[in-house]
Amino acid sequence: MICPRCEYAEAYTVFEADDKAWEIFRCPRCNFNWRSTEGQELTEPDLYNPRFKLSEKKIQDMAPKPPVPPLRKTGTTDVREKKSPSRT
Ligand SMILES: [Zn+2]
């Protein structure tokens, strides 16, 4: 199965209906998922909107996902360490 978005040739079936009326495919390169019953503009590589096509280079050049910030060393202990209001 060829991925309509990036044209990677190793897209595979993820799921199929019990009566085999439809299947869901997934591309391991660009993570595109599509159903066999969707329109040809989503299932056929040649008809997929060129504006949304991806290539190996485009995928590599994508900005990385936001990194997880470093964990705070104090965690929630600073809440406990707060001084209680002074009693007068
Ligand atoms: Zn793909």
Side-chain angles (χ1 to χ4, degrees):
M1 176 62 58
I2 296 174
C3 171
R5 182 162 70 174
C6 76
E7 301 191 12
Y8 190 60
E10 296 181 31
Y12 57 90
T13 302
V14 178
F15 195 81
E16 65 181 17
D18 287 339
D19 61 0
K20 299 188 190 296
W22 49 265
E23 291 175 276
I24 295 176
F25 307 107
R26 179 174 186 274
C27 173
R29 181 162 77 172
C30 74
N31 291 324
F32 187 61
N33 291 263
W34 70 99
R35 200 179 54 235
S36 58
T37 53
E38 291 179 281
Q40 286 188 315
E41 71 279 5
L42 286 178
T43 61
E44 292 295 324
D46 292 342
L47 301 177
Y48 197 83
N49 189 331
R51 187 175 166 198
F52 302 119
K53 284 276 199 181
L54 288 177
S55 64
E56 180 68 34
K57 182 173 186 340
K58 278 187 179 177
I59 294 169
Q60 293 300 322
D61 291 348
M62 283 182 186
K65 291 175 181 154
V68 176
L71 295 175
R72 289 187 294 179
K73 287 181 182 153
T74 55
T76 56
T77 56
D78 56 351
V79 173
R80 279 181 258 143
E81 289 166 4
K82 276 185 184 166
K83 291 177 183 171
S84 53
S86 56
R87 296 176 191 150
T88 52

